[in-house]
Amino acid sequence: MKILHTSDWHLDWMTHGVRRHDELRVAAHEMVKYAVAHDVDLFVFTGDLCNPDSGSCVFECVELAIMVACLLRDRGIPSVWVSGNHDVIEDGRGRTTLAPLAALGLNVHVFETGACRYVSAKRKGIEVLALPYPSATRPYSFDEVFASIPEAEPAHDPLLVLSHLSVPGVQLGEESHEMARGRDVNYPIERVLGLMKKRGGVMLQGHYHRRQSLNFGERWMHIPGSLAQLTFSEEHHRPGFLVIEV
């Protein structure tokens, strides 16, 4: 299965007073063209579409996400959207800027809270364990999420673990400094690795703006980085997306 993985668009961001939305819109459309031209099976977004407190530009940001999801769906490519720390609306309801995408229905999967769910890709399905950034006012329970994961069978499909949490050993950047929002919520790495040992699969992570891959013994975690260089300190980053074979 071929998966296109992207994260940290930050469509509302301004670099020294210059809005980045138009540039990021072009990058998002080029990414969709790539997904269609290379016949990917699943599109995955792991958080940070935009900050809900950014004003009226939030509508433009959500519009672009909906457009991307619809373009992919029209070409038979399902999409999975996992919320990040910049997406959470801290009003006690636990909703995020990704909530409108859920209204698109078939083949558009939105995770605003932790869950394990079977997702149909273009050619076959895969079981997705989503660990989005939890709301401070209405967090979800890791214990409940892991308790809901079905036992693996001999011929069980691999597990796709998607996250927007804080990971040990990662190379930090402006997501932890100039662009910080919220609190650190640690990735339950030992629990996830225990699952991966039984099930196999891959870990895909958002939140961090520098593209990198982390080795955890027999398993790798892949981080695509942000879609653009968002601050001057990110001048050496390689913005873009990843294509993963599972």
Side-chain angles (χ1 to χ4, degrees), residues 192-208:
V192 171
L193 290 176
L195 277 174
M196 304 294 276
K197 189 173 182 179
K198 298 177 183 177
R199 300 283 296 273
V202 65
M203 297 178 283
L204 304 182
Q205 166 75 18
H207 185 45
Y208 300 103

Side-chain angles (χ1 to χ4, degrees), residues 7-8 208-210 224-230 234 237-240:
S7 189
D8 293 83
Y208 300 103
H209 293 182
R210 182 189 294 272
S226 52
L227 195 57
Q229 295 167 329
L230 299 169
E234 295 180 357
H237 288 195
R238 294 176 297 146

Side-chain angles (χ1 to χ4, degrees), residues 1-6 31 34-35 38-46 72 77-80 119-128 158-162 201-205 222 224 241-246:
M1 180 185 296
K2 188 185 296 183
I3 299 172
L4 190 152
H5 177 207
T6 180
M31 184 168 48
Y34 182 97
H38 291 80
D39 199 24
V40 305
D41 298 300
L42 186 66
F43 176 96
V44 169
F45 173 82
T46 50
L72 292 166
I77 303 172
S79 59
V80 177
V119 169
S120 294
K122 192 169 185 178
R123 291 174 179 81
K124 64 176 183 177
I126 191 167
E127 197 154 13
V128 172
L159 194 64
L160 180 63
V161 183
L162 310 177
V202 65
M203 297 178 283
L204 304 182
Q205 166 75 18
H222 301 289
F241 54 88
L242 294 178
V243 177
I244 307 291
E245 295 275 359
V246 178

Side-chain angles (χ1 to χ4, degrees), residues 55-67:
S56 59
C57 72
V58 171
F59 293 101
E60 289 182 277
C61 302
V62 174
E63 176 197 33
L64 179 56
I66 290 173
M67 187 178 300

